[in-house]
Amino acid sequence: MSLVQKWSTELRYQPYHEWPTDYLEKLKQTTNDSTWRLAFHIQPVTGLLNDPNGFSYFNGKWHVFYQSYPLGPVHGIKSWYHLTSENLVDWQDEGLAILPDGPYDSHGVYSGSALAVGDRLFLAYTGNVRDQDWQRHSFQLGAWLDNKNQIQKLSEPLIVNSPKGYTQEIRDPQIFIFNQQYYLIIGAQNEQEEGKILTYKSSDLVNWQCIGEMTFSDDLLGFMVECPNLIFIDNQAVLLFCPQGLDQKQLSYQNIYPNTYVVADGFDGETNTLNNPSSLKNLDEGFDVYATQAFNAPDGRALTISWIGLPEVGYPTDEEGWAHCLSLVKELTLKDGNLLQRPVKELEKLRLDHHSFNGTLSSVQKIYSPQENRYELQLDLDAAAQGTLTLFADDDTNLGLTLSFDTQNGTMTMNRENAGTPFAKEFGTSRTFKIPQRGLSLQIFVDHSVVEVFINQGEKVASARVFPKKGQTAILLEGTTGIFSGEYWTLRPMK
Amino acid sequence: MSLVQKWSTELRYQPYHEWPTDYLEKLKQTTNDSTWRLAFHIQPVTGLLNDPNGFSYFNGKWHVFYQSYPLGPVHGIKSWYHLTSENLVDWQDEGLAILPDGPYDSHGVYSGSALAVGDRLFLAYTGNVRDQDWQRHSFQLGAWLDNKNQIQKLSEPLIVNSPKGYTQEIRDPQIFIFNQQYYLIIGAQNEQEEGKILTYKSSDLVNWQCIGEMTFSDDLLGFMVECPNLIFIDNQAVLLFCPQGLDQKQLSYQNIYPNTYVVADGFDGETNTLNNPSSLKNLDEGFDVYATQAFNAPDGRALTISWIGLPEVGYPTDEEGWAHCLSLVKELTLKDGNLLQRPVKELEKLRLDHHSFNGTLSSVQKIYSPQENRYELQLDLDAAAQGTLTLFADDDTNLGLTLSFDTQNGTMTMNRENAGTPFAKEFGTSRTFKIPQRGLSLQIFVDHSVVEVFINQGEKVASARVFPKKGQTAILLEGTTGIFSGEYWTLRPMK
């Protein structure tokens, strides 16, 4: 049931307060009635969630914001929605934080980042304004959050216009400190419609000087780059970003847009160059990860959180008035120059009851049939293992989301063709990727309509939304060769 | 002529505004009449200057403060005095900045540091309060300087007491950012009366947690450590500090207290340890350098500025109502693990007319006899050179401050016994130190009553106050063997 028949541009840009109260009531109702609501992932109260913003540690708490359109499951006029946490697991709702109510963000408070600066949190974001001809004007804006979570927007933009030679497609500023200076990097498009990352420097967060395009790849990066994030791990630099329209010759991907990264020996802030960058790699081997935001936390960890959802793709919850969620928080490390992504250790706080299991792969065995899709599964397979793990499996048909593994040939396939309610079939229903030809370790988080699979202690991650029907909760394992052992924990909901 | 016969404690702590106007007028007069006033060094308008404080770059300018007692050449009740510069050479007087007018600094605004934080400059300093029994209570305090140079003190201290096991001798906080956290290091004394450096961490500059003593030397560091400064150069760490009462077995020095440093492979912020630290070394081979303050500037340079003056030592200008100056600004670099200190390149802006000279060392030759002791001298000597350079030389007696060099035996001696008005003889009138047995390069800045000698592109520095009599300006060179060449520039005064 859709509450709005047609989401006209006018409707999508109608001020929030002009919506009737009973509409919002109904929207809450359809959202809360959804069987696909999540237990321990950040999801919108109503409407649409997209990019995580302002992921940071400040005033003794973790902070994350997300792009919010609270009035429906569409990309309407955006705000920042705020959550805080003491443990990266339980998130407290702080409500809408930055609203599109200023002269430079009247048509959308778009994505950005946060940096704890003294006793305040500095927020940098993109404000969009549409003129009378509905032409887009992008401004990079700043705001201060104080220790009472009160926001004060700066009266003037940080950056008024794209530099000469670049279009108005410029957004998603990330601010960080490097060599005692403030840096801002931002996704941009040049007039030849090529995706670029521009770098700015400042000594006071207010006056910003463009120092040009960051050098980190000889490849063309499609027509636009979104959500650049530069972080530092053990003196190396990792750049995460989302190229749109990337040529498949440069990187194989099946999602509409990939979320990619390069690892470099370091960043030269003077020449604006990543030293000795790797080739482009996919951050996630699954279906739905985008707009990942990363920051170097004061405890020394490099942490990320992603949007699980993709631009321009429809999802089954659209019918229920809400869409998308954020990923779990992951810690990035480097091992021999390779990026590892692991769920943060704090997630162990979610674990309730615990079961161990082991056996030999053979015909279909039911590992467990939980009441609810709300669990963590650790599965270890030996070097000879060939088989399939099925999650969200239907007790009658045994169909569900499958993870087929072949450690002899070194491949894994995630397939959601037969899992729950189908969607996004135009972008393919399976993802195949390489795994090492040795023993395989899977750490899997399942939460009602999302699954995140961490392979070999984070060497790869595969994430997917899945929309199971009632009762589709079984965990099945089958195979032709190999032995397995594992553990299962029921996970508690977020507090 | 001394305006005050006896500087009682009561007089030294009398509020500034209670001094009669005509006293201040007379003080200005005696100060301005001094022939030892400096042309291109920072000096007090009246009274006493000691430690540099808050050396930083903020709001498009360089900032430095100094410890000021403006009413006389004694250690009376202290304030921070403020100067700004666009070029590190010409300094604009911004007047008294932090006054001893708060509940936590009523008996002295003592030394500290500054950190540009967003669009404000954070100042951290030690406030002293004397109770009714004249017992000292030390507080570590914070203040914000905005972009109009207005200061707002924080209402509560950053750190209220010394940690358990430490005395009230705790002062000179340096604040810096390391691994996305704020660090504060501070000179301290434990209850066994041993000098220590304590480290604190904060994520918001307001709440500080003590993480214990920094590990960087197995030696005892005398009874107190003052003015610790940790800076980072090419991923290495350099710790500058002033140990008081250091055993001569640990380091040979002749000044009442030395200004020392160690070079380490890096700083481990978790264990609070300097990795693989060098032995203690003297920062300056001369007579008067103390309380050096260092910071990592946003342009990538590690910059220092020192007090030229020592605690508990009398100087001839005391009779004229003023005392001490700051050094020129130096840039620190590392070469093969050795610290180099060079005058900042901007000092070339001071150069006016220019002369070259060269010759063979023999009996006394007059290199130049300037009108005024206000010049830069570059002198290069070959590997066989043995001889003496005399500065501030008297035309009749040829006596002055001597720099005797012997590149064959690798020694240099700075001797001020026969230079101008004698003082501080109890700490010796000469300083001898090693130089490499190869060609020697001296870059010397002479400014009326101070000389700073940079040896071999900053491998060593020797600084001294000298108080020449009228006409003692000649530059003499003599020797037994070796050839020399050099350049001379008259330097303009600071604008």
Side-chain angles (χ1 to χ4, degrees):
Chain A
M1 178 213 65
S2 196
L3 292 175
V4 172
Q5 284 308 309
K6 183 174 156 33
W7 281 98
S8 65
T9 298
E10 201 180 352
L11 211 51
R12 287 191 287 115
Y13 282 84
Q14 177 173 293
Y16 300 163
H17 67 266
E18 290 182 11
W19 286 80
T21 317
D22 66 334
Y23 170 79
L24 203 60
E25 293 290 312
K26 277 185 206 149
L27 187 64
K28 271 189 194 152
Q29 189 78 52
T30 64
T31 302
N32 292 341
D33 289 349
S34 171
T35 58
W36 293 319
R37 294 293 282 173
L38 302 160
F40 54 88
H41 283 76
I42 293 170
Q43 62 191 340
V45 179
T46 55
L48 183 136
L49 165 158
N50 55 308
D51 307 0
N53 296 153
F55 188 25
S56 54
Y57 184 83
F58 164 67
N59 194 24
K61 287 185 177 173
W62 302 97
H63 293 251
V64 74
F65 303 79
Y66 63 77
Q67 284 284 291
S68 167
Y69 177 65
L71 279 312
V74 296
H75 288 274
I77 186 168
K78 295 289 174 64
S79 296
W80 279 30
Y81 202 98
H82 187 194
L83 299 108
T84 58
S85 174
E86 291 183 354
N87 61 7
L88 291 171
V89 172
D90 299 302
W91 290 92
Q92 183 177 336
D93 186 329
E94 305 283 356
L96 283 166
I98 315 186
L99 290 161
D101 56 8
Y104 300 107
D105 59 16
S106 57
H107 291 72
V109 172
Y110 286 170
S111 286
S113 59
L115 181 70
V117 175
D119 56 353
R120 298 180 295 174
L121 187 69
F122 189 73
L123 312 176
Y125 66 99
T126 301
N128 261 31
V129 174
R130 297 280 185 172
D131 64 19
Q132 288 188 318
D133 303 323
W134 205 248
Q135 293 298 301
R136 173 190 294 212
H137 300 274
S138 294
F139 301 92
Q140 310 315 319
L141 306 176
W144 290 104
L145 180 86
D146 69 17
N147 57 17
K148 296 185 175 63
N149 287 341
Q150 294 302 303
I151 293 212
Q152 177 136 30
K153 291 183 185 178
L154 300 194
S155 57
E156 292 302 320
L158 308 178
I159 301 168
V160 172
N161 278 312
S162 306
K164 199 165 171 337
Y166 295 84
T167 72
Q168 283 295 318
E169 302 286 336
I170 179 167
R171 54 182 170 269
D172 313 335
Q174 183 213 7
I175 291 195
F176 57 94
I177 294 178
F178 183 77
N179 275 353
Q180 316 297 318
Q181 281 231 307
Y182 297 110
Y183 278 74
L184 180 157
I185 63 171
I186 190 161
Q189 181 185 63
N190 68 15
E191 286 178 351
Q192 292 74 50
E193 300 203 345
E194 296 165 341
K196 299 291 178 185
I197 295 175
L198 291 172
T199 306
Y200 290 74
K201 282 169 80 171
S202 172
S203 58
D204 61 6
L205 290 171
V206 174
N207 299 293
W208 291 91
Q209 183 200 354
C210 185
I211 61 166
E213 291 176 8
M214 189 187 292
T215 305
F216 63 97
S217 172
D218 296 332
D219 293 333
L220 277 180
L221 299 172
F223 60 84
M224 177 66 189
V225 168
E226 293 192 318
C227 303
N229 277 252
L230 184 61
I231 49 165
F232 300 93
I233 307 175
D234 306 336
N235 292 322
Q236 289 193 267
V238 179
L239 178 69
L240 314 177
F241 57 103
C242 299
Q244 297 188 323
L246 187 71
D247 194 313
Q248 291 280 349
K249 281 182 216 143
Q250 287 159 229
L251 180 76
S252 173
Y253 64 95
Q254 283 188 269
N255 297 349
I256 180 168
Y257 305 128
N259 198 157
T260 61
Y261 71 94
V262 297
V263 176
D265 287 346
F267 173 57
D268 184 327
E270 293 307 307
T271 61
N272 195 14
T273 301
L274 289 187
N275 300 324
N276 192 24
S278 70
S279 60
L280 256 63
K281 296 177 187 182
N282 280 312
L283 191 64
D284 194 284
E285 304 293 346
F287 295 87
D288 304 283
V289 158
Y290 196 75
T292 298
Q293 189 162 73
F295 84 110
N296 286 103
D299 62 12
R301 292 186 292 184
L303 299 178
T304 65
I305 192 165
S306 307
W307 179 27
I308 303 191
L310 284 172
E312 303 167 40
V313 177
Y315 285 75
T317 59
D318 293 351
E319 291 300 304
E320 304 176 332
W322 69 286
H324 312 311
C325 64
L326 297 186
S327 73
L328 297 175
V329 178
K330 302 165 205 172
E331 179 182 358
L332 301 189
T333 55
L334 287 170
K335 188 181 166 191
D336 307 328
N338 295 312
L339 189 69
L340 300 184
Q341 304 175 65
R342 269 182 279 219
V344 287
K345 196 172 164 44
E346 287 91 332
L347 286 161
E348 292 175 6
K349 290 180 195 293
L350 293 175
R351 291 175 180 172
L352 297 174
D353 57 299
H354 170 254
H355 307 271
S356 296
F357 55 88
N358 61 70
T360 303
L361 290 174
S362 59
S363 57
V364 179
Q365 303 171 55
K366 188 179 287 186
I367 297 291
Y368 206 65
S369 191
Q371 289 271 320
E372 220 181 298
N373 282 311
R374 201 183 75 215
Y375 59 86
E376 179 184 345
L377 186 70
Q378 172 70 42
L379 180 63
D380 294 298
L381 295 142
D382 74 354
Q386 291 180 315
T388 297
L389 174 71
T390 305
L391 305 173
F392 304 95
D394 189 289
D395 267 330
D396 297 333
T397 65
N398 281 359
L399 295 176
L401 174 132
T402 57
L403 281 164
S404 304
F405 47 86
D406 180 344
T407 63
Q408 292 183 34
N409 291 304
T411 61
M412 183 168 224
T413 298
M414 180 183 257
N415 188 324
R416 66 180 177 189
E417 182 175 9
N418 299 309
T421 301
F423 71 105
K425 288 198 166 186
E426 62 273 35
F427 301 103
T429 54
S430 74
R431 298 287 184 266
T432 297
F433 49 94
K434 285 186 186 165
I435 56 171
Q437 287 165 291
R438 51 177 165 83
L440 177 66
S441 162
L442 304 177
Q443 185 183 9
I444 302 171
F445 290 84
V446 168
D447 185 8
H448 293 114
S449 60
V450 67
V451 56
E452 292 171 86
V453 182
F454 296 86
I455 297 149
N456 293 335
Q457 286 76 46
E459 286 178 0
K460 302 216 165 170
V461 184
S463 307
R465 292 305 298 272
V466 192
F467 298 93
K469 294 178 180 144
K470 193 166 162 25
Q472 292 179 333
T473 62
I475 304 166
L476 310 178
L477 187 59
E478 67 185 303
T480 52
T481 174
I483 60 171
F484 65 88
S485 64
E487 295 182 87
Y488 170 97
W489 293 267
T490 304
L491 298 184
R492 69 162 172 80
M494 184 191 296
K495 283 178 188 164
Chain B
M1 180 213 65
S2 195
L3 291 176
V4 173
Q5 285 308 310
K6 183 172 156 37
W7 282 97
S8 65
T9 298
E10 199 179 354
L11 212 50
R12 286 192 286 114
Y13 282 84
Q14 177 172 294
Y16 300 162
H17 68 266
E18 290 182 11
W19 286 80
T21 317
D22 66 334
Y23 170 79
L24 204 59
E25 293 290 311
K26 278 184 206 148
L27 188 64
K28 271 188 196 153
Q29 188 78 52
T30 63
T31 303
N32 292 342
D33 288 349
S34 170
T35 58
W36 293 318
R37 293 292 282 173
L38 302 160
F40 55 88
H41 283 78
I42 292 170
Q43 62 190 340
V45 179
T46 54
L48 183 136
L49 165 157
N50 55 308
D51 308 0
N53 296 153
F55 189 26
S56 54
Y57 184 83
F58 164 67
N59 194 25
K61 286 185 178 173
W62 303 98
H63 294 250
V64 74
F65 303 79
Y66 62 78
Q67 284 285 291
S68 167
Y69 177 64
L71 279 312
V74 295
H75 288 274
I77 186 169
K78 297 287 174 65
S79 296
W80 279 31
Y81 201 98
H82 188 195
L83 298 108
T84 57
S85 174
E86 290 184 354
N87 62 7
L88 291 170
V89 171
D90 299 302
W91 290 92
Q92 184 177 335
D93 186 329
E94 305 284 355
L96 283 166
I98 314 185
L99 290 161
D101 57 7
Y104 300 107
D105 58 17
S106 57
H107 291 72
V109 172
Y110 285 171
S111 286
S113 59
L115 182 70
V117 175
D119 56 353
R120 298 180 294 173
L121 187 69
F122 189 73
L123 311 176
Y125 66 99
T126 301
N128 261 32
V129 175
R130 297 280 184 172
D131 63 20
Q132 288 188 316
D133 303 323
W134 205 248
Q135 293 298 301
R136 174 190 292 212
H137 300 275
S138 294
F139 301 92
Q140 310 316 318
L141 306 176
W144 289 105
L145 180 87
D146 69 17
N147 56 17
K148 295 183 178 64
N149 287 342
Q150 295 302 303
I151 293 211
Q152 176 136 34
K153 290 183 186 178
L154 300 194
S155 57
E156 293 301 320
L158 308 178
I159 300 168
V160 173
N161 278 311
S162 305
K164 198 165 168 349
Y166 295 84
T167 73
Q168 282 296 317
E169 302 287 335
I170 179 168
R171 54 182 170 268
D172 313 336
Q174 183 213 6
I175 292 195
F176 56 94
I177 294 178
F178 183 78
N179 273 354
Q180 316 297 318
Q181 280 231 309
Y182 298 110
Y183 279 74
L184 180 156
I185 64 171
I186 190 162
Q189 180 186 62
N190 68 16
E191 286 177 351
Q192 293 74 49
E193 299 203 347
E194 297 167 338
K196 299 291 178 185
I197 296 175
L198 291 172
T199 305
Y200 291 74
K201 282 168 80 171
S202 172
S203 59
D204 60 7
L205 290 170
V206 174
N207 299 292
W208 291 91
Q209 184 201 354
C210 185
I211 62 166
E213 290 176 9
M214 189 187 292
T215 306
F216 63 97
S217 172
D218 295 331
D219 293 333
L220 278 180
L221 299 172
F223 61 83
M224 176 65 189
V225 168
E226 293 193 317
C227 303
N229 278 251
L230 183 61
I231 49 165
F232 299 93
I233 307 175
D234 306 336
N235 292 321
Q236 289 193 267
V238 179
L239 178 69
L240 313 178
F241 57 104
C242 299
Q244 296 189 324
L246 187 70
D247 194 315
Q248 291 281 350
K249 281 183 216 142
Q250 287 159 228
L251 179 76
S252 173
Y253 64 95
Q254 285 187 267
N255 297 348
I256 180 168
Y257 306 127
N259 199 156
T260 61
Y261 71 94
V262 297
V263 177
D265 287 346
F267 173 59
D268 184 327
E270 293 306 308
T271 61
N272 195 16
T273 301
L274 289 187
N275 300 324
N276 193 24
S278 71
S279 59
L280 256 62
K281 297 179 187 178
N282 280 312
L283 192 62
D284 194 283
E285 304 293 344
F287 295 87
D288 305 283
V289 157
Y290 196 74
T292 298
Q293 189 163 73
F295 85 110
N296 285 103
D299 63 12
R301 290 186 292 184
L303 300 178
T304 66
I305 192 164
S306 307
W307 180 27
I308 302 190
L310 284 172
E312 303 167 40
V313 176
Y315 284 76
T317 59
D318 293 352
E319 290 301 304
E320 304 176 330
W322 68 286
H324 313 310
C325 65
L326 297 186
S327 72
L328 299 174
V329 178
K330 302 164 204 170
E331 179 181 359
L332 302 189
T333 55
L334 287 170
K335 187 181 166 191
D336 307 328
N338 296 312
L339 189 69
L340 300 184
Q341 304 175 64
R342 268 182 280 219
V344 289
K345 197 172 163 43
E346 286 90 332
L347 287 162
E348 291 176 7
K349 289 180 197 294
L350 293 175
R351 292 176 180 171
L352 297 174
D353 58 299
H354 170 255
H355 306 271
S356 297
F357 56 88
N358 60 71
T360 304
L361 289 174
S362 60
S363 57
V364 178
Q365 303 172 54
K366 188 180 287 185
I367 297 292
Y368 205 66
S369 191
Q371 289 270 320
E372 219 181 298
N373 281 312
R374 201 183 76 214
Y375 59 86
E376 179 183 345
L377 187 69
Q378 173 69 41
L379 180 63
D380 294 297
L381 295 142
D382 73 355
Q386 291 180 315
T388 297
L389 174 71
T390 306
L391 305 173
F392 304 96
D394 189 288
D395 267 330
D396 297 333
T397 64
N398 281 0
L399 295 175
L401 175 132
T402 57
L403 281 166
S404 304
F405 46 86
D406 180 344
T407 62
Q408 292 183 34
N409 291 304
T411 61
M412 184 167 223
T413 297
M414 180 183 257
N415 188 324
R416 66 180 177 189
E417 182 175 9
N418 299 308
T421 302
F423 72 105
K425 287 199 167 186
E426 62 273 35
F427 301 103
T429 54
S430 76
R431 298 287 184 268
T432 296
F433 49 95
K434 286 185 187 164
I435 56 171
Q437 290 164 290
R438 51 176 166 82
L440 177 66
S441 162
L442 305 177
Q443 185 183 8
I444 302 173
F445 290 84
V446 169
D447 185 6
H448 293 114
S449 59
V450 66
V451 56
E452 293 172 85
V453 182
F454 296 87
I455 297 149
N456 293 335
Q457 286 76 47
E459 286 178 0
K460 302 218 165 167
V461 183
S463 307
R465 291 306 297 273
V466 192
F467 298 94
K469 295 179 179 143
K470 193 166 165 20
Q472 293 180 333
T473 61
I475 305 166
L476 309 178
L477 188 59
E478 67 184 304
T480 52
T481 174
I483 58 170
F484 65 87
S485 63
E487 295 182 87
Y488 170 96
W489 293 266
T490 305
L491 299 184
R492 69 162 172 80
M494 185 190 298
K495 283 178 190 164

